[in-house]
Amino acid sequence: MEARSPILVGLDPDPAKRTAVGWAAAEAQETGAPLLLLHTWNMISQPTLDATVIAGLRDAGQRVVDAAVDFVASAHPGARVQAVLVEDDPAWALRDHAENARMVVVSTRAPDAAGMGLRTSPVVMPVLAHVRCPVVVVRENAPPAVSPPFFVVGVDGSKTSRHALEAAFRLASSRGAELRAVVARRSSRFGPVSERVARRQAQRLLHGEVAAYASRQPNVVVRERVVQGHPVEALSWEAVGALGVVVGTRGRGGFAGMLLGSVSQGVLQHARCPVVVVPPAGRDSSPA
């Protein structure tokens, strides 16, 4: 996608919640893409408010936008930033403005002990279901990324996994980050010999999948890991402290629950770092 296609980020009205804006601004600064900040105010459900109240709500929205622009200018002075304030539902406004975006960045709080994080956001699932570019879901109260930076991507040999792997290489390259490619597998039930064979097969699969993309991004350092356990648990654990964990979608239309596979949904629920959801080929699948 061309560099002038923006990175679109939805603003939270709380000035303390800047993690998603910061993630998007850093990506914009590193890639040279413009950053588009979007904030909404919605009067559709309250049509009887008088003009003074409406003007006050609009002014409050503009203050949110102005504060976010100032934050980006201070924290990421190399980012080219624009901002819009619209009267609309947040999810639908993001969908409409995402038509020409290279990626959309939205925020939610980190999951609690019961893994309930995404249920607190009315924006995330509608955006995932309807936009055609990668969507980054950022946890506003999650721990910060560690240094040196890294991304995590799960590998299983499927087309969905390959779309995610390609996107993960591009993201790691743009951020100067390491890429940790992970195959998660269950232990063999047929003894140590079978276990060794299965592990070698997983290692060959992982190495072959990674090699197909590594030559295109030779500046990316890749760590290949074969781990035991359920893919959701393994990826969520491996991604602690990451700039993001990259997952794919099944590619079917309709509701987000149909669009995402079980692993992608599980990672969205449980990972505490940003989750990058990559659409299939045929939708715009490149975040670079």
Side-chain angles (χ1 to χ4, degrees), residues 128 158-161 163-164 247-252 256 258-261 264 277-281 283:
L128 285 170
S158 67
K159 290 183 179 179
T160 295
S161 165
H163 297 147
V247 297
T249 67
R250 288 180 173 178
R252 294 188 296 179
M258 297 173 62
L259 179 70
L260 302 177
S264 299
V277 182
V278 180
R283 297 168 75 189

Side-chain angles (χ1 to χ4, degrees), residues 9-12 14-26 71 76 105-108 136-145 175 243 272-274:
V9 57
L11 297 181
D12 192 293
D14 185 346
K17 296 180 178 179
R18 295 280 188 253
T19 309
V21 176
W23 196 100
F71 167 79
H76 300 277
V105 183
V106 294
S107 65
T108 187
V136 186
V137 182
V138 177
R139 317 300 190 186
E140 284 293 348
N141 58 337
R175 291 293 193 94
L243 279 174
R272 296 185 60 82
C273 69

Side-chain angles (χ1 to χ4, degrees), residues 197-217:
V197 171
R199 186 173 184 84
R200 284 197 298 269
Q201 290 175 337
Q203 288 170 335
R204 285 196 296 268
L205 167 69
L206 177 57
H207 187 72
E209 294 289 305
V210 167
Y213 298 99
S215 61
R216 308 177 196 176
Q217 304 288 350

Side-chain angles (χ1 to χ4, degrees), residues 23 142-152 177-178 180 235-245 271-274:
W23 196 100
V146 302
S147 185
F150 68 97
F151 283 91
V152 170
E178 179 181 291
R180 301 181 185 180
L235 288 172
S236 298
W237 174 256
E238 292 288 330
V240 172
L243 279 174
V245 55
R272 296 185 60 82
C273 69

Side-chain angles (χ1 to χ4, degrees), residues 185-186 188 193-203:
R185 51 174 298 275
R186 301 292 182 92
S188 172
V193 175
S194 177
E195 175 68 24
R196 287 194 296 270
V197 171
R199 186 173 184 84
R200 284 197 298 269
Q201 290 175 337
Q203 288 170 335

Side-chain angles (χ1 to χ4, degrees), residues 9-278:
V9 57
L11 297 181
D12 192 293
D14 185 346
K17 296 180 178 179
R18 295 280 188 253
T19 309
V21 176
W23 196 100
E27 181 69 13
Q29 182 169 289
E30 293 299 327
T31 61
L35 177 67
L36 179 59
L37 309 179
L38 174 69
H39 187 54
T40 65
W41 64 288
N42 185 0
M43 296 301 304
I44 296 174
S45 62
Q46 303 180 67
T48 60
L49 295 180
D50 62 38
T52 301
V53 174
I54 292 173
L57 291 172
R58 187 187 295 111
D59 290 344
Q62 188 61 53
R63 287 193 294 273
V64 170
V65 169
D66 293 342
V69 170
D70 291 342
F71 167 79
V72 173
S74 174
H76 300 277
R80 295 180 290 141
V81 60
Q82 295 179 319
V84 292
L85 176 66
V86 296
E87 182 185 1
D88 201 352
D89 175 82
W92 297 116
L94 285 167
R95 181 204 64 177
D96 292 342
H97 283 77
E99 289 186 1
N100 297 314
R102 63 195 285 129
M103 69 170 55
V104 177
V105 183
V106 294
S107 65
T108 187
R109 71 180 180 86
D112 57 23
M116 301 293 285
L118 286 181
R119 296 188 185 181
T120 66
S121 173
V123 173
V124 172
M125 286 305 182
V127 169
L128 285 170
H130 292 287
V131 306
R132 299 179 61 82
C133 61
V135 176
V136 186
V137 182
V138 177
R139 317 300 190 186
E140 284 293 348
N141 58 337
V146 302
S147 185
F150 68 97
F151 283 91
V152 170
V153 61
V155 177
D156 63 12
S158 67
K159 290 183 179 179
T160 295
S161 165
R162 289 170 189 144
H163 297 147
L165 184 60
E166 181 178 17
F169 264 100
R170 293 179 183 237
L171 283 165
S173 178
S174 71
R175 291 293 193 94
E178 179 181 291
L179 180 59
R180 301 181 185 180
V182 178
V183 167
R185 51 174 298 275
R186 301 292 182 92
S187 298
S188 172
R189 297 177 296 173
F190 302 105
V193 175
S194 177
E195 175 68 24
R196 287 194 296 270
V197 171
R199 186 173 184 84
R200 284 197 298 269
Q201 290 175 337
Q203 288 170 335
R204 285 196 296 268
L205 167 69
L206 177 57
H207 187 72
E209 294 289 305
V210 167
Y213 298 99
S215 61
R216 308 177 196 176
Q217 304 288 350
N219 61 316
V220 176
V221 175
V222 184
R223 309 292 183 190
E224 300 178 9
R225 286 183 50 76
V226 176
V227 299
Q228 289 186 352
H230 190 280
V232 171
E233 295 175 354
L235 288 172
S236 298
W237 174 256
E238 292 288 330
V240 172
L243 279 174
V245 55
V246 186
V247 297
T249 67
R250 288 180 173 178
R252 294 188 296 179
F255 298 103
M258 297 173 62
L259 179 70
L260 302 177
S262 60
V263 172
S264 299
Q265 290 190 66
V267 171
L268 274 168
Q269 288 288 348
H270 295 287
R272 296 185 60 82
C273 69
V275 179
V276 184
V277 182
V278 180

